[in-house]
Amino acid sequence: MPNSPVHIAFGLEAVNDDPPPSTLPLAQAPWQLWTRPHRRLAPGPTKAETAAEHIRTKNQALVALTVTVDTPHRDSGLGLPLYLLAPAASVVATLGLEPTDGICGFSLSDAAGEALICRQWHGHLVHGGNYEPLLPAIAGADLFIRPDLFTRVCETIGPSRCRTGISVRHTPATRDGAPDSGN
């Protein structure tokens, strides 16, 4: 049923214990990390050494869910997805990544070339039986990181603090298609 979504989130986290249950394995960050140098955008550590120390000692998700709606001075043009994935600002600073020159998309690079890419995807569109636009039956995003940088991030975190987090949530719909209130 189109109005009965299942939300699945999977991410890498730096934590001392198991990730908290019932939480998303995601942080928050500005979506403009893909288009502007992190030093001009992100609050928090911007130098590689400070950011690496932050990753090494603080509990945090290393993947960020960015929300693109209600962004002041939104200069995105057409087609910006509602949600984007991005590396946390501390990861961008630790690895020294910058938006890839000449790429109009979601790509960060370092001196060795493309380092991290976000891919947005969706499946076929479904009509919900109303007058609203069609919705994708399945939609998502994933991040690709160069293997040498993934190893570097894991070594920075430390083997005992590197955890994967997963969250699966289902919102059942009632017969009329509205989400179930749980009553």
Side-chain angles (χ1 to χ4, degrees):
M1 233 187 325
N3 291 330
S4 184
V6 175
H7 300 276
I8 301 171
F10 180 83
L12 182 64
E13 298 179 274
V15 293
N16 292 325
D17 298 316
D18 287 333
S22 301
T23 60
L24 287 174
L26 303 170
Q28 292 183 345
W31 68 267
Q32 294 91 342
L33 279 169
W34 291 111
T35 60
R36 295 192 190 113
H38 65 89
R39 293 176 301 282
R40 295 186 3 209
L41 294 172
T46 58
K47 293 184 179 175
E49 301 81 26
T50 308
E53 183 64 24
H54 188 265
I55 289 173
R56 198 175 293 110
T57 59
K58 304 290 184 199
N59 290 346
Q60 68 172 17
L62 301 177
V63 177
L65 179 65
T66 68
V67 180
T68 60
V69 295
D70 299 328
T71 303
H73 310 294
R74 186 172 158 187
D75 56 352
S76 63
L78 296 174
L80 184 66
L82 179 61
Y83 300 103
L84 282 173
L85 288 179
S90 56
V91 173
V92 174
T94 298
L95 298 177
L97 303 178
E98 298 287 337
T100 304
D101 288 334
I103 301 264
C104 181
F106 308 117
S107 174
L108 297 173
S109 295
D110 62 7
E114 283 188 290
L116 202 136
I117 298 170
C118 176
R119 179 178 67 170
Q120 297 290 130
W121 46 268
H122 68 272
H124 64 280
L125 299 176
V126 176
H127 193 280
N130 53 30
Y131 294 103
E132 294 179 14
L134 302 178
L135 298 172
I138 184 169
D142 43 29
L143 293 175
F144 296 96
I145 186 168
R146 225 175 43 223
D148 63 311
L149 295 180
F150 182 75
T151 300
R152 199 164 123 204
V153 167
C154 290
E155 287 172 353
T156 301
I157 295 168
S160 65
R161 291 178 30 84
C162 192
R163 302 271 196 281
T164 54
I166 186 165
S167 172
V168 179
R169 295 188 179 147
H170 176 257
T171 309
T174 61
R175 288 183 65 87
D176 66 357
D180 187 4
S181 64
N183 294 332

